[in-house]
Amino acid sequence: MSIEPEKTYNPKESEERWREFWEKEEIYRFDEKSKKPIFSVDTPPPYVSADHLHQGHIMSYSQAEFVVRYKRMRGFEVYYPMGFDDNGLPTERFVEKKYNLNKNKISRNDFIAKCLEETKIGSKTYQDLWRLLGISVDWTKTYSTINEHSQKISQVSFLDLVKKQKAYRAKKPIMWCTTCQTALAQADLEDEEKETNLVYIKAKTQAGQEVVFATTRPELLPSCVGMSVHPTDERYKNLVGQKAILPISQAQVEITTDEMVDPNFATGIVYFCSSGDRQFLDWETKHPIKNKIYLLDPNGKMNRLAGKYEGLTVLETRKQIIDDLQALGYVEKIEKITHSVNTHERCGTDIEFVDSEQWFIDVLNFKKELLAQADKMRWFPLFMKQKYIDWVSNLRWDWCISRQRYYGVPFPVWYCQKCREIILAQESDLPIDPTMQKPKIEQCPKCGCADFEPEKDVMDTWATSSVSPSIAAGLVENQATKAKLYPTTLRPQAFEIIRTWLFYTVVKSLYNFDSIPFKDIMISGHGVDSQGKKISKRLGNYTDPKEIIAQYGADSLRYWATGALLGSNLKYSEEGVRKGKRTVTKLFNAGNFCFAHFEKNNFQKIDLAGLKAEDKWILFNLSLAIKKITDHFDNYEYSKAKDETDNFFWHYFCDNYLEFVKHRLYQDQPDPTAKQVLYRVLLDILKMYSPLMPFITEKLYQDYFRQFEETKSIHISAWPEPMESLDSSQKEQADFAQALLVIDKIRAYKSSKQLSQGKEIEFFKTKIPLPKNLITFVKSVCKVKDIKF
RNA sequence: GGGCGUAUAGCUCAGUUGGUUAGAGCGUUUCGUUGACAUCGAAAAGGUCUCCCGUUCGAGUCGGGAUACGCCCACCA
């Protein structure tokens, strides 16, 4: 043999070589002038605050990558940009924790500088890993959600909504985090089971009758504005309409009836406190009260209205007031209960309700329209659509988009000091920071005064990431091409951000453009540990992907990631990675075996007339496999595509076909037809594996095929087509199936007799009728001198 | 309380429109292979497809119900 192949495959060296090759040759560059149909991806911009990347990240980012590589080979001009979500609370919280900072004790500019610094480190970490993994994004098309480009698009979107009266400013009760000291949206909440005290407090009516109510929030007692019992509760009929005198404050509140009271819970008497919980807000609409009493300052401390408790935190007050009530004899009993409370997902602090002026986007009035959008997009898998429908149907709040924070996109807005008129920035001036710049107009159009106050709040992080399709499309210069990038073809994302990223993007797209933001949605599950638990830093149940890649190679890790069915979690198993490694090695060996026989000759064209039965069989099955695999990829079922490719490569090609043709390769005059078929089948196998394992397939392509094939990389070569010209009749296939059965029998026979498969036997007796032309074939494959029927 | 998902071999999971004897990988057992590959090959053992009822000539697959687990939402004084 003239080619002396490498004995073993070294993924580390090989993969780095092809990474450099792809970068140098700009294989994944988006061609703005291309005439091909476009396939665009609204890549999820990861939070750069993640300082511990793990297998879960690999899994969720690989899935779009598999599809993208397939589409590229199918003749699409693929637009695959990469964003980094670095603005907003997630980054702020990360910086606060890492440097033990408090946003109130550091200047706005210093804080932002620190965030920007971390942002840079974070995006570098991601970029390095994606490069290592072979993610085929066009790195000339990147954005960060805090950069000027994104800020401008986000602000344009906001101004548009204001003008369309979909965004509005209002003072109303909102959800508040006392740790992060900002307003929140419904989507920012999380449920948490907590143990707490249910305190039974004794009050008296004016008439001196005892009224016992139970509460988990005794600290709100100074803000109590009323009590209610269930209208049918016979026990308390005589209390209704009376006034109760509250302990400590001595305030008097009216006892009313309300359907929402559960007579079976505790004493059946509820006390309502201004903004104590969501239930109060409902109650308030039916029981109008003159003066609401707000006890809480934004930092979660009691104000002057709390009297002696002023300056204490909620929890301190709770403890203190229970002591006081007990000392005064107002406590009947205390029960320990567990209940779930709404907490802020970023810091775990219990949510409080405060009355505050914020910016909102109207969603409650457009539920119907927002639900209708769901039907205009294709969901993979379909059942995930239900999560969106459930979320939209259950919305209780308009989307609060203002955050009392520093590191985010500013609102392009000022207010007239005198009349509070809202002054909007001009679109041509965007992006703008109103705290740094003054409005263009000299006077307030309403009152004529010249004093303007900038909006100091920044936008919710989702208010910007929800325009990611526009941000991504905006990176393209060519106007005609840019227009084709909206709506995006595919939105890949994880299921847990359906209620945030997905929902908010649909909202923005509907209001800004009266359009869907993307056509297809591919939802992934999580990468979880081998026990099925979510991978997290806290549990320590993760491995650094870089270590896995160093040990097994990126192809092997990617191979594990292909195991995920759409929408399902995928358990991490090193065994799965090892299976990938085995597949890589098998490809390497099978490839080198063929190349050794090909030498440097071209077997690109198949001489159809010279095809033998086994050739027709493998080509026929290749066509079947191509059809199935193509179909799976078209439905974003890369996992099923992988199974099918494995099956064809391993069992049809390696275990059988290679064995079938060996005798034709080793004879004195090797059969060129066999080599032609090997060329074709092996090349198609490499192509079908290439979206999943880009490195080994590129290497084998370059080692031999490249000299005869047109494209400089396998990743921009044409996807395999089934051979329609091949005339393989049912009869031929049936005959060959008979031959396979006999081969199986002979193999089983040798195995049962503990004989080597290569051991020649005198004869084999079978009842299976074998077509004449296949008798010789079976004899030479199985090393049998004679077959008797 | 509502919604969604899952339940198939020891383990991890496939099973498309209902159709002979329910599959794969790993693991186990028994062998073989030194001319691509011990990162291989051949074979064996291993399943009342969670349970009940129904539709059907026929159900792992369709319908109804139950149970268990997981996730989401709501309630939570």
Side-chain angles (χ1 to χ4, degrees):
Chain A
M1 305 293 159
S2 61
I3 295 177
E4 196 54 53
E6 305 152 64
K7 285 290 178 215
T8 51
Y9 177 60
N10 179 342
K12 201 167 185 173
E13 271 172 34
S14 177
E15 289 183 355
E16 185 52 30
R17 182 175 165 202
W18 299 114
R19 269 177 213 118
E20 282 164 15
F21 172 79
W22 297 329
E23 281 159 19
K24 189 167 148 270
E25 298 291 332
E26 299 185 326
I27 300 297
Y28 310 124
R29 192 184 184 100
F30 176 66
D31 178 6
E32 298 195 9
K33 297 196 176 98
S34 169
K35 298 268 185 291
K36 295 188 226 169
I38 289 176
F39 185 89
S40 54
V41 184
D42 185 14
T43 321
Y47 283 131
V48 294
S49 48
D51 64 340
H52 58 293
L53 299 181
H54 51 65
Q55 310 96 306
H57 295 95
I58 299 295
M59 179 205 143
S60 50
Y61 278 86
S62 298
Q63 64 158 1
E65 150 75 3
F66 300 143
V67 169
V68 154
R69 283 184 182 271
Y70 164 72
K71 292 288 179 182
R72 203 178 275 123
M73 293 172 78
R74 285 279 281 175
F76 287 91
E77 187 62 37
V78 165
Y79 185 58
Y80 190 21
M82 180 59 77
F84 294 102
D85 196 2
D86 44 17
N87 88 72
L89 208 43
T91 306
E92 291 194 54
R93 285 293 302 164
F94 177 72
V95 168
E96 281 179 339
K97 269 196 207 156
K98 181 164 176 181
Y99 296 101
N100 195 22
L101 298 173
N102 179 315
K103 73 155 185 167
N104 294 334
K105 290 176 186 155
I106 179 171
S107 84
R108 184 182 175 113
N109 286 339
D110 286 351
F111 190 75
I112 291 175
K114 210 78 190 151
C115 290
L116 282 169
E117 203 179 293
E118 281 305 313
T119 293
K120 231 177 175 173
I121 299 172
S123 56
K124 175 84 170 48
T125 309
Y126 266 100
Q127 199 154 337
D128 287 350
L129 183 60
W130 292 163
R131 184 180 172 277
L132 216 51
L133 196 62
I135 299 274
S136 66
V137 302
D138 178 350
W139 288 105
T140 66
K141 299 282 183 286
T142 60
Y143 66 86
S144 101
T145 53
I146 199 69
N147 71 16
E148 290 210 343
H149 170 72
S150 300
Q151 293 213 13
K152 178 177 174 170
I153 288 171
S154 181
Q155 290 183 338
V156 168
S157 162
F158 169 76
L159 289 181
D160 182 48
L161 295 191
V162 175
K163 285 167 194 160
K164 288 172 173 163
Q165 300 187 333
K166 295 288 198 297
Y168 65 93
R169 186 160 173 79
K171 186 168 196 279
K172 54 180 175 180
I174 46 129
M175 288 167 283
W176 184 267
C177 175
T178 56
T179 299
C180 301
Q181 299 189 28
T182 179
L184 297 174
Q186 189 175 349
D188 301 322
L189 307 186
E190 213 165 54
D191 286 348
E192 203 183 322
E193 284 285 327
K194 287 192 177 178
E195 187 175 83
T196 190
N197 292 317
L198 181 63
V199 187
Y200 289 70
I201 299 172
K202 293 186 275 192
K204 281 209 165 73
T205 63
Q206 285 171 313
Q209 212 175 339
E210 194 167 72
V211 181
V212 181
F213 60 94
T215 178
T216 56
R217 306 221 40 195
E219 72 278 10
L220 296 176
L221 194 134
S223 66
C224 175
V225 287
M227 288 189 197
S228 287
V229 297
H230 195 269
T232 62
D233 197 331
E234 293 295 328
R235 294 172 296 176
Y236 302 125
K237 270 236 151 108
N238 55 353
L239 285 179
V240 178
Q242 295 207 51
K243 290 209 165 162
I245 304 166
L246 294 166
I248 298 183
S249 69
Q250 300 303 318
Q252 299 187 4
V253 297
E254 192 179 344
I255 300 170
T256 53
T257 60
D258 196 300
E259 299 275 349
M260 73 165 72
V261 175
D262 176 2
N264 298 317
F265 185 89
T267 63
I269 303 176
V270 187
Y271 92 139
F272 287 95
C273 302
S274 299
S275 303
D277 55 21
R278 229 216 84 80
Q279 206 180 1
F280 169 78
L281 303 175
D282 290 337
W283 181 84
E284 186 194 6
T285 59
K286 288 177 281 180
H287 310 270
I289 35 176
K290 284 185 205 122
N291 296 312
K292 284 192 254 181
I293 305 162
Y294 292 107
L295 298 175
L296 271 186
D297 279 343
N299 58 7
K301 289 186 176 163
M302 292 287 161
N303 62 27
R304 162 181 78 70
L305 294 174
K308 66 175 279 202
Y309 305 106
E310 183 179 358
L312 299 183
T313 65
V314 170
L315 290 180
E316 286 163 355
T317 312
R318 188 175 301 167
K319 192 168 177 293
Q320 187 62 49
I321 206 163
I322 291 175
D323 286 349
D324 292 349
L325 287 167
Q326 276 179 322
L328 294 166
Y330 286 117
V331 176
E332 188 184 87
K333 60 175 173 176
I334 296 177
E335 283 175 2
K336 290 258 182 240
I337 61 162
T338 49
H339 65 165
S340 64
V341 276
N342 276 328
T343 59
H344 180 204
E345 63 162 354
R346 299 276 161 214
C347 66
T349 309
D350 289 9
I351 294 303
E352 300 291 346
F353 295 82
V354 300
D355 216 29
S356 173
E357 195 169 21
Q358 304 287 342
W359 280 99
F360 297 89
I361 290 176
D362 184 353
V363 289
L364 295 181
N365 286 316
F366 296 91
K367 280 190 183 184
K368 216 177 112 193
E369 290 80 353
L370 289 165
L371 287 171
Q373 294 302 88
D375 293 326
K376 299 175 189 166
M377 300 177 283
R378 298 200 300 163
W379 299 72
F380 301 88
L382 187 59
F383 70 79
M384 285 294 177
K385 184 167 138 184
Q386 195 59 39
K387 284 195 194 291
Y388 173 91
I389 291 171
D390 287 350
W391 178 255
V392 175
S393 309
N394 291 324
L395 279 169
R396 306 287 296 267
W397 306 78
D398 276 342
W399 176 17
C400 176
I401 54 165
S402 43
R403 298 288 179 274
Q404 288 63 55
R405 300 291 306 189
Y406 295 156
Y407 188 59
V409 176
F411 284 86
V413 161
W414 298 264
Y415 306 103
C416 171
Q417 290 270 38
K418 207 167 150 196
C419 71
R420 305 306 298 167
E421 174 74 358
I422 297 168
I423 315 293
L424 301 177
Q426 286 169 21
E427 199 172 314
S428 54
D429 294 336
L430 303 180
I432 201 169
D433 182 349
T435 65
M436 308 299 279
Q437 283 163 275
K438 291 198 157 111
K440 280 273 166 65
I441 55 166
E442 303 280 321
Q443 295 178 323
C444 169
K446 203 168 158 195
C447 73
C449 92
D451 288 334
F452 302 113
E453 182 193 341
E455 171 62 79
K456 293 197 190 74
D457 290 355
V458 294
M459 291 187 203
D460 175 15
T461 179
W462 297 111
T464 301
S465 46
S466 58
V467 292
S468 60
S470 303
I471 294 174
L475 298 171
V476 169
E477 306 266 326
N478 185 303
Q479 289 304 312
T481 308
K482 197 188 212 166
K484 286 189 213 156
L485 290 173
Y486 204 101
T488 311
T489 319
L490 177 69
R491 155 65 70 92
Q493 66 161 78
F495 68 88
E496 79 271 24
I497 50 175
I498 289 174
R499 68 181 199 181
T500 50
W501 195 36
L502 180 51
F503 168 65
Y504 289 142
T505 311
V506 172
V507 170
K508 287 276 194 134
S509 188
L510 175 66
Y511 294 169
N512 285 141
F513 309 116
D514 195 17
S515 163
I516 48 168
F518 22 75
K519 294 168 190 160
D520 289 1
I521 303 164
M522 175 171 62
I523 307 276
S524 71
H526 275 140
V528 292
D529 74 4
S530 55
Q531 313 296 313
K533 288 200 186 106
K534 192 171 171 174
I535 296 175
S536 77
K537 189 181 182 183
R538 192 173 52 81
L539 293 170
N541 56 353
Y542 65 97
T543 316
D544 185 346
K546 282 186 183 159
E547 284 172 23
I548 303 171
I549 292 173
Q551 190 180 350
Y552 296 101
D555 278 336
S556 305
L557 180 54
R558 291 172 62 112
Y559 184 93
W560 162 73
T562 62
L565 256 67
L566 288 181
S568 308
N569 291 344
L570 178 65
K571 287 180 183 166
Y572 177 73
S573 77
E574 202 166 334
E575 188 49 46
V577 182
R578 275 199 283 269
K579 177 81 194 302
K581 184 82 194 292
R582 278 200 291 276
T583 308
V584 169
T585 306
K586 188 88 174 168
L587 276 168
F588 175 83
N589 285 315
N592 283 318
F593 171 77
C594 293
F595 300 162
H597 288 281
F598 293 159
E599 300 182 310
K600 283 281 178 194
N601 302 312
N602 186 350
F603 296 99
Q604 208 172 19
K605 285 219 170 69
I606 297 178
D607 168 25
L608 291 174
L611 292 181
K612 296 217 159 70
E614 64 268 30
D615 301 329
K616 289 183 182 176
W617 171 80
I618 192 73
L619 289 171
F620 178 78
N621 282 289
L622 173 67
S623 290
L624 284 184
I626 292 171
K627 281 180 198 159
K628 281 189 211 164
I629 293 160
T630 303
D631 209 41
H632 289 319
F633 267 118
D634 281 336
N635 287 307
Y636 302 124
E637 293 280 10
Y638 47 84
S639 169
K640 290 179 181 173
K642 186 233 15 185
D643 284 345
E644 205 62 57
T645 315
D646 273 352
N647 184 44
F648 181 75
F649 166 62
W650 217 280
H651 302 301
Y652 283 79
F653 186 68
C654 293
D655 294 349
N656 284 306
Y657 187 70
L658 282 184
E659 300 303 323
F660 296 162
V661 295
K662 270 181 184 168
H663 70 275
R664 290 160 67 190
L665 298 175
Y666 284 119
Q667 59 198 5
D668 294 341
Q669 295 286 317
D671 180 354
T673 316
K675 296 187 186 178
Q676 291 158 9
V677 175
L678 283 174
Y679 184 110
R680 171 60 181 268
V681 179
L682 179 62
L683 179 58
D684 282 0
I685 286 171
L686 290 180
K687 285 183 175 188
M688 291 191 287
Y689 267 128
S690 71
L692 311 175
M693 300 195 288
F695 296 97
I696 183 68
T697 49
E698 181 76 291
K699 181 209 157 34
L700 293 173
Y701 178 81
Q702 299 290 346
D703 279 355
Y704 171 76
F705 293 103
R706 172 66 182 102
Q707 57 189 320
F708 309 115
E709 296 290 321
E710 268 177 38
T711 52
K712 61 183 173 186
S713 163
I714 193 173
H715 301 299
I716 47 174
S717 68
W719 186 254
E721 293 287 342
M723 279 180 78
E724 300 296 353
S725 65
L726 183 70
D727 173 34
S728 189
S729 69
Q730 297 265 338
K731 171 92 173 55
E732 279 183 297
Q733 290 303 318
D735 285 352
F736 200 80
Q738 295 290 94
L740 279 174
L741 275 180
V742 177
I743 290 169
D744 274 355
K745 294 275 180 205
I746 298 173
R747 283 174 176 171
Y749 170 78
K750 286 187 179 177
S751 190
S752 70
K753 294 286 174 197
Q754 305 193 355
L755 294 170
S756 146
Q757 294 297 336
K759 170 91 180 166
E760 194 170 54
I761 54 173
E762 287 302 315
F763 72 92
F764 184 76
K765 209 174 167 182
T766 177
K767 283 179 189 164
I768 300 168
L770 209 49
K772 263 189 189 155
N773 61 323
L774 291 173
I775 295 177
T776 332
F777 166 67
V778 173
K779 280 185 189 168
S780 51
V781 166
C782 296
K783 307 225 166 78
V784 185
K785 280 190 180 158
D786 196 12
I787 294 177
K788 293 183 179 172
F789 297 94

